[in-house]
Amino acid sequence: MDHLSRRSVLGGGASAAVLLAPPALAQERTLLNVSYDPTREFYRDVNAAFAAARRDTARETVRVRMSHGGSGRQARSVIDGLEADVVTLALGHDIDVLAEAGLVARDWREAFPARAAPYRSTIVFLVRRGNPKAIRDWGDLAKPGVGVVTPNPKTSGGARWNYLAAWGWALAQPGGDEAAARALLTGLFRNAPVLDTGARGSTTTFVRRNIGDVLLAWENEAHLAMAEFGAGNVEIVAPSRSILAEPPVAVVEGVARRRGTLELARAYLEFLYTPAAQAMAAKHHYRPTAPEHASAEDMRKFPNLDLFTIDDVFGGWAKAHAAHFAEGAEFDRIMAAR
């Protein structure tokens, strides 16, 4: 074979190799998801699955970074400059605050299905083995000698759900009114020796520091504590009536547009509604908005509870915040009176 022929064969082989090789992945892109405390384990799985999906469909490498903390504090951090592409927070009011700051669209609830809440939860009690204080319902939390562990409603979204669940229960009791609800919450917080800034901190206080007789917890956080510390050490008690917690999500458009991640951020939150992510939500003890995608075994963990919504009892988050959590509102007055 002469030099020209040999070069043609080698050149043809190189061209074939190029044609057969898979297209190279684009340079890594990053997202920052600013979330609330008890979502760490869930988003660890979601982020890996989303990255794999983008690798397969968009031929790009995506890394999702996380920030966790009390929901109210997280919202404040974004306003103060934390460059979140998306927020996945504990309650709608915290995203409304971002909308007022011009970082999130004012119609963010309409941007995704189910009022932009891809999974739900509720508030339950975690008690010591054998439930030695016989804690069965919200009224038991105000009894003398019962140590209650809950985060601070000023910084924690979970704590606000705790507070409103107790208030709504009191209103629904025979003869229940605002005065009865105020008395219950005053007794509850009188029994609270520690107010951590977030839900995960309160879980640590209860299960690791062994403080308190009952932890007011997200349902998913209670199940996680059971799995980590063993059913022989703690037990879940479901109250007779609780609140339907709807943790919402939103694109922080003011940041994502500047960073060039707007489309990717939307795709990430849309992924939360896929069958795979809905199944993950149930696996991590959240109530999926599309339960048909979860396994029957995972769905059996969720008891059929009497749940009310914040709109039903409080008229939505704006009214609830103004009446209970704003400066000088009910919570401040309760803390002053306890």
Side-chain angles (χ1 to χ4, degrees), residues 91-110:
L91 48 91
H93 174 74
D94 290 333
I95 298 184
D96 286 335
V97 169
L98 297 178
E100 291 169 7
L103 294 168
V104 168
R106 289 194 175 272
D107 62 349
W108 61 266
R109 286 179 177 84
E110 284 71 57

Side-chain angles (χ1 to χ4, degrees), residues 91 121-125 137-139 141 150 153 157-173 180-182 184-185 188-189 216-219 237-245 305-310 313-314 317 320 324-325:
L91 48 91
S121 191
T122 188
I123 303 302
V124 298
F125 307 155
D137 219 337
W138 292 100
L141 305 181
T150 180
R160 295 187 185 192
W161 288 115
N162 295 347
Y163 174 109
L164 295 176
W167 191 281
W169 175 88
L171 292 180
Q173 301 312 296
R182 191 173 299 113
L184 170 63
L185 270 297
L188 187 158
F189 281 102
L216 308 189
W218 292 94
E219 184 176 44
V237 173
S240 64
R241 176 175 166 85
S242 195
I243 197 165
L244 178 66
L305 301 178
D306 178 14
L307 300 176
F308 62 89
T309 71
I310 190 167
V313 176
F314 300 97
W317 268 112
H324 294 276
F325 307 117

Side-chain angles (χ1 to χ4, degrees), residues 180-201:
R182 191 173 299 113
L184 170 63
L185 270 297
T186 301
L188 187 158
F189 281 102
R190 187 179 293 128
N191 286 343
V194 178
L195 294 179
D196 291 292
T197 59
R200 183 55 57 88

Side-chain angles (χ1 to χ4, degrees), residues 2 42 79 111 122 149 168 177 201 203 217 261 309 313 330:
D2 60 25
F42 170 56
I79 291 173
T122 188
V149 178
D177 57 14
T203 301
T261 58
T309 71
V313 176
E330 286 284 2

